[in-house]
Amino acid sequence: DAKTTQPPSMDCAEGRAANLPCNHSTISGNEYVYWYRQIHSQGPQYIIHGLKNNETNEMASLIITEDRKSSTLILPHATLRDTAVYYCIVLFGNEKLTFGTGTRLTIIP
Amino acid sequence: GAVVSQHPSRVICKSGTSVKIECRSLDFQATTMFWYRQFPKQSLMLMATSNEGSKATYEQGVEKDKFLINHASLTLSTLTVTSAHPEDSSFYICSARDPGGSGTDTQYFGPGTRLTVL
């Protein structure tokens, strides 16, 4: 029972902005949107999370639509080290975090 | 962000032996930690939830007598794979929940432990 839908793969040119979409049309009012990424053979890395408002930190920006049914993770200036599988996850604050298949982002030189 | 460590990063053992993996939250206290397993080209699968001072909660299909979890302190959880067999070879990853006080608790992950059972 997938809560989110992501494209299986995307390419982005090095130095350009990478925009990763996520659909979560059944999200409820108190569920957060989390983004993690997993670089090959490493543990997942927390990127950012949000509830309603757009969020920005040193890694990325998270844009959540007004109806909260979708969001976009933006890596402003992609580098080769950003090649990874990116996971969009919807959950309540203390809910167990489970992973779908994510989006495999490849940064092309 | 918060830091979670795992030890060892890589272990090779003979079939039938037991292997212990440690997971530590280095700069925060975690009442709840999680253990995941990841097979090649698959996503992470949650194995169990580790609660400080109480018994772990296992996901369906995970044998609690084979994967022993101990969460003796607020910064340490251990996973022991007992009587390991080749099919237990996998990438084991722990995470710890940081009660950041912002209305939601963010999970931070360790770097993972690659277990190979010969």
Side-chain angles (χ1 to χ4, degrees):
Chain A
D1 183 20
K3 287 187 176 182
T4 64
T5 304
Q6 298 178 254
S9 64
M10 290 181 62
D11 292 340
C12 178
E14 187 179 16
R16 305 295 293 268
N19 297 281
L20 291 94
C22 179
N23 287 327
H24 31 80
S25 58
T26 61
I27 192 171
S28 64
N30 53 356
E31 286 185 309
Y32 287 77
V33 180
Y34 275 81
W35 283 84
Y36 285 82
R37 71 180 183 184
Q38 186 178 27
I39 296 169
H40 183 62
S41 295
Q42 297 183 22
Q45 178 186 23
Y46 165 76
I47 301 174
I48 199 167
H49 75 279
L51 183 62
K52 295 180 182 178
N53 299 323
N54 298 336
E55 302 287 344
T56 295
N57 62 21
E58 64 278 4
M59 287 184 68
S61 294
L62 173 60
I63 308 298
I64 302 174
T65 57
E66 194 169 338
D67 63 8
R68 303 214 316 128
K69 292 185 177 183
S70 65
S71 61
T72 301
L73 178 75
I74 301 173
L75 308 178
H77 303 287
T79 70
L80 297 178
R81 289 176 294 181
D82 293 321
T83 292
V85 179
Y86 287 76
Y87 297 96
C88 169
I89 302 167
V90 165
L91 75 166
F92 293 108
N94 288 334
E95 193 177 355
K96 292 180 289 188
L97 201 159
T98 56
F99 290 81
T101 53
T103 296
R104 182 172 298 278
L105 175 67
T106 303
I107 306 302
I108 301 173
Chain B
V3 180
V4 176
S5 70
Q6 271 185 251
H7 178 80
S9 58
R10 194 178 289 269
V11 58
I12 300 173
C13 70
K14 292 182 179 180
S15 185
T17 61
S18 294
V19 174
K20 180 186 283 189
I21 303 170
E22 292 187 348
C23 176
R24 294 181 186 273
S25 56
L26 298 187
D27 49 4
F28 65 98
Q29 294 184 328
T31 55
T32 306
M33 292 184 172
F34 303 86
W35 288 95
Y36 293 79
R37 180 169 53 181
Q38 186 176 33
F39 292 107
K41 301 192 177 184
Q42 295 186 22
S43 191
L44 283 79
M45 294 298 295
L46 179 64
M47 298 174 67
T49 302
S50 170
N51 301 296
E52 189 267 337
S54 65
K55 291 183 179 180
T57 305
Y58 291 81
E59 296 299 302
Q60 191 172 10
V62 178
E63 299 175 58
K64 63 180 180 181
D65 294 331
K66 180 167 183 63
F67 299 99
L68 301 179
I69 291 172
N70 184 276
H71 193 156
S73 78
L74 288 172
T75 59
L76 173 64
S77 176
T78 60
L79 168 69
T80 301
V81 183
T82 62
S83 187
H85 290 283
E87 58 265 29
D88 298 321
S89 298
S90 188
F91 191 47
Y92 291 86
I93 308 166
C94 73
S95 70
R97 181 181 280 160
D98 182 6
S102 61
T104 183
D105 300 342
T106 298
Q107 280 184 233
Y108 295 93
F109 287 80
T113 297
R114 175 80 55 193
L115 170 64
T116 302
V117 185
L118 303 176

